[in-house]
Amino acid sequence: MTPVLALHDVTVRYPAGNYGCREISFDVFPGEVLGIVGESGSGKSTVLACANLDLVPTEGSVEILGRDVSRTRGAERRKLRAQALGIVYQTPQQGLDLAVTAGGNIAERMFGAGHRSYRVVRERARSLHAAMELPCDRFDVAVRTFSGGMRQRVQLAKALATSPPLLLLDEPTSGLDVSVQAKTLDLIRRIQRDHGLAMVIVSHDLAVIRMLADRVIVMREGRIVERGLTDQILGDPQHPYSQLLVASQLT
């Protein structure tokens, strides 16, 4: 089976000489959820940026559906991202135009992917808006008036607009109230189950990873220090750093 996403020895070295990540390799298969954990500065977001084609690796390669896409540019990159990738950012301002309506944000992704029928796009946007359990009467309202949890759901709807096989999530519940976090996680889990999506989720919250991920990689200082099944890593971590991460959230 061909992985939806595969990173091979990906290294990102910045001009100043410091590293964002080093020799990162993993794959994600259809319908699988991979979690990436580690403290701030461990390289999690750098890896996700490579997967989303926001960063070009200094070394190594990124493959999507078996094709090396590490160095795609311009229209080719935009088309690939529209067809194969969806992303939900930690900060909704990164993924949404807050001055635009919920429906407009969702439609923008479809128009960017080449859809031209206004009627079809609007119907698809309305369907996704409702599927994310957003109030129908807020479809034509600017998302700047939405709560944090509602903005994340608009991001999810936008990410799913072109039915990509891979969804990337960067701290999707960070900053949300506990009750809103629970609803958001339930929604993400339902989306994954119903659509059979492959997902990569970055989170510092091990409870989020335990709920969503099949496998986990643990990152420290830009490198992977441990990997395995979620229950294995969170229940019986072997690396001292993994043990420290788990212990810190049990106290």
Side-chain angles (χ1 to χ4, degrees), residues 155-182:
Q155 279 208 84
L156 279 165
K158 181 177 179 178
L160 295 170
T162 57
S163 301
L166 176 64
L167 185 61
L168 309 173
L169 301 109
D170 188 5
E171 301 279 7
T173 60
S174 179
L176 302 180
D177 293 339
V178 173
S179 61
V180 178
Q181 284 185 24

Side-chain angles (χ1 to χ4, degrees), residues 8-221:
H8 301 287
D9 296 321
V10 165
T11 294
V12 173
R13 185 174 62 252
Y14 297 111
N18 55 318
Y19 288 84
C21 63
R22 294 194 190 197
E23 300 175 343
I24 303 298
S25 296
F26 63 78
D27 45 32
V28 186
F29 289 89
E32 185 179 35
V33 181
L34 177 72
I36 305 178
V37 300
E39 62 190 347
S40 179
S42 62
K44 305 186 304 295
S45 293
T46 298
V47 170
L48 205 69
C50 289
N52 196 46
L53 310 182
D54 291 325
L55 273 178
V56 178
T58 310
E59 300 173 23
S61 63
V62 177
E63 294 182 1
I64 294 177
L65 299 173
R67 175 189 167 202
D68 186 347
V69 297
S70 311
R71 287 155 182 81
T72 54
R73 290 288 189 276
E76 183 184 8
R77 187 185 77 152
R78 290 192 294 273
K79 180 179 179 181
L80 178 64
R81 290 174 69 174
Q83 293 177 343
L85 299 169
I87 188 166
V88 175
Y89 293 97
Q90 177 179 356
T91 305
Q93 289 90 326
Q94 292 178 265
L96 301 172
D97 186 336
L98 300 188
V100 173
T101 66
N105 271 282
I106 302 167
E108 181 270 335
R109 178 166 166 84
M110 296 185 67
F111 285 127
H115 293 267
R116 292 293 175 260
S117 169
Y118 176 81
R119 180 184 61 80
V120 170
V121 168
R122 188 168 175 84
E123 286 179 359
R124 171 71 171 162
R126 276 197 177 278
S127 174
L128 285 165
H129 183 90
M132 297 304 109
E133 301 173 0
L134 289 159
C136 294
D137 61 358
R138 304 298 294 276
F139 181 75
D140 290 314
V141 176
V143 294
R144 66 168 175 264
T145 67
F146 286 22
S147 67
M150 289 174 66
R151 290 177 183 180
Q152 289 299 72
R153 281 180 272 162
V154 176
Q155 279 208 84
L156 279 165
K158 181 177 179 178
L160 295 170
T162 57
S163 301
L166 176 64
L167 185 61
L168 309 173
L169 301 109
D170 188 5
E171 301 279 7
T173 60
S174 179
L176 302 180
D177 293 339
V178 173
S179 61
V180 178
Q181 284 185 24
K183 291 179 181 178
T184 303
L185 289 173
D186 283 340
L187 180 59
I188 292 171
R189 187 161 60 176
R190 176 168 60 80
I191 288 169
Q192 196 279 328
R193 182 186 65 241
D194 292 350
H195 294 267
L197 289 171
M199 289 185 180
V200 177
I201 178 166
V202 165
S203 182
H204 69 281
D205 188 338
L206 300 186
V208 170
I209 297 299
R210 188 184 297 276
M211 180 176 182
L212 296 176
D214 302 304
R215 291 188 292 122
V216 177
I217 62 175
V218 182
M219 292 192 63
R220 184 187 186 193
E221 297 179 348

